[in-house]
Amino acid sequence: MTASVKPFGAFATFAIGAFALLAGQLSGIIALSGWYVLKLGEVATLAQDGRAIVLFIFVSATIQVILLFLAASSRGNAAEYLGYRLPRRGEVVIGIVALAALIIVGDTVSWLAGRNIVDRFQSDIYQAAITANLLPILLVAITIFIPIGEETLFRGFLFQGWLRAPQHAWPVIVFTAGLFAIVHVQYDWFLIAQVFAFGVLFGWIRWASGSTILTMVMHALVNLEGMVETMLTFSG
């Protein structure tokens, strides 16, 4: 916390963050309903439509970030509030090395547990994008829009609002990682546990570096690595 920003209270932080998340999701659903001329209850039928997946990500992430930026700007410097600062070179190196190690551990645990490294959700969105000839655009969505949207919420807005003192760092890191994992409802418990581990790493990096830009880059690399594994699986 710095003099140029005055964070919202703990409850207000949660309420605003939840509102931004839900508003983003609802905006995505409304966009799909309007684009495909469907009733809101029929939007779920588009789950395997590559164009629908991309449109939903673009709209929901954009609306979520705009709302959080507006909220942060009411309390001072929005970029500082959300941790939009460039990391130092050493911080980048530490972050990338730690991320690579965690990916290796995660893939190794999956292999030892007899699980496919590529999960069904990754396979489904990949195949949907291929069918719609939108793989490059899907890559933009999952390596740019999703990381910016999720990191702005969890390691940006919520982190800033709840970190009141140095001794609060680890509780905030763990709690935001837990929320980050919970919203990934498309995964089973095993993968949600892995998402939690990545959330803890991202939170630690955010705390150590003060930069959500670095956690966005790390998040993008995780998503890109997942897509590369999926492409290699289908091309093999």
Side-chain angles (χ1 to χ4, degrees):
M1 188 185 310
T2 64
S4 60
V5 297
K6 185 179 179 181
F8 290 95
F11 179 78
T13 294
F14 178 80
I16 295 170
F19 173 77
L21 175 63
L22 294 175
Q25 299 292 301
L26 181 58
S27 297
I29 292 172
I30 293 173
L32 293 180
S33 176
W35 186 266
Y36 288 90
V37 193
L38 296 172
K39 295 180 180 178
L40 292 179
E42 299 172 334
V43 170
T45 62
L46 300 171
Q48 301 300 318
D49 186 304
R51 290 182 179 85
I53 293 170
V54 169
L55 177 60
F56 179 82
I57 293 172
F58 281 4
V59 173
S60 60
T62 300
I63 295 299
Q64 179 176 298
V65 170
I66 289 173
L67 291 174
L68 292 173
F69 195 89
L70 289 174
S73 67
S74 72
R75 310 295 283 188
N77 186 310
E80 185 172 348
Y81 195 110
L82 299 172
Y84 287 1
R85 62 168 292 273
L86 293 175
R88 300 180 181 86
R89 183 178 303 177
E91 294 166 344
V92 174
V93 172
I94 292 173
I96 300 303
V97 170
L99 180 64
L102 186 55
I103 289 174
I104 292 172
V105 170
D107 284 353
T108 301
V109 171
S110 296
W111 178 73
L112 291 174
R115 297 174 59 93
N116 291 326
I117 292 178
V118 176
D119 69 279
R120 181 176 179 179
F121 177 73
Q122 286 176 286
S123 300
D124 286 348
I125 64 171
Y126 174 78
Q127 290 178 306
I130 289 294
T131 301
N133 293 316
L134 289 175
L135 183 58
I137 299 179
L138 176 65
L139 287 173
V140 170
I142 67 172
T143 61
I144 297 178
F145 280 76
I146 288 178
I148 291 175
E150 293 186 349
E151 294 307 311
T152 296
L153 174 59
F154 294 103
R155 259 64 63 175
F157 191 81
L158 296 181
F159 196 94
Q160 178 70 266
W162 289 335
L163 185 62
R164 300 295 170 147
Q167 62 267 30
H168 297 164
W170 277 107
V172 171
I173 289 170
V174 171
F175 190 59
T176 53
L179 293 177
F180 175 61
I182 289 171
V183 300
H184 286 78
V185 295
Q186 69 270 35
Y187 299 138
D188 62 18
W189 67 268
F190 186 89
L191 290 177
I192 287 177
Q194 290 195 0
V195 172
F196 174 75
F198 282 113
V200 171
L201 175 60
F202 295 161
W204 175 68
I205 289 294
R206 165 68 167 96
W207 174 56
S209 68
S211 173
T212 54
I213 291 179
L214 178 52
T215 66
M216 289 174 190
V217 171
M218 294 169 66
H219 194 151
L221 290 174
V222 171
N223 290 357
L224 178 61
E225 185 267 344
M227 286 304 297
V228 169
E229 287 181 341
T230 304
M231 288 187 282
L232 291 175
T233 297
F234 278 89
S235 65

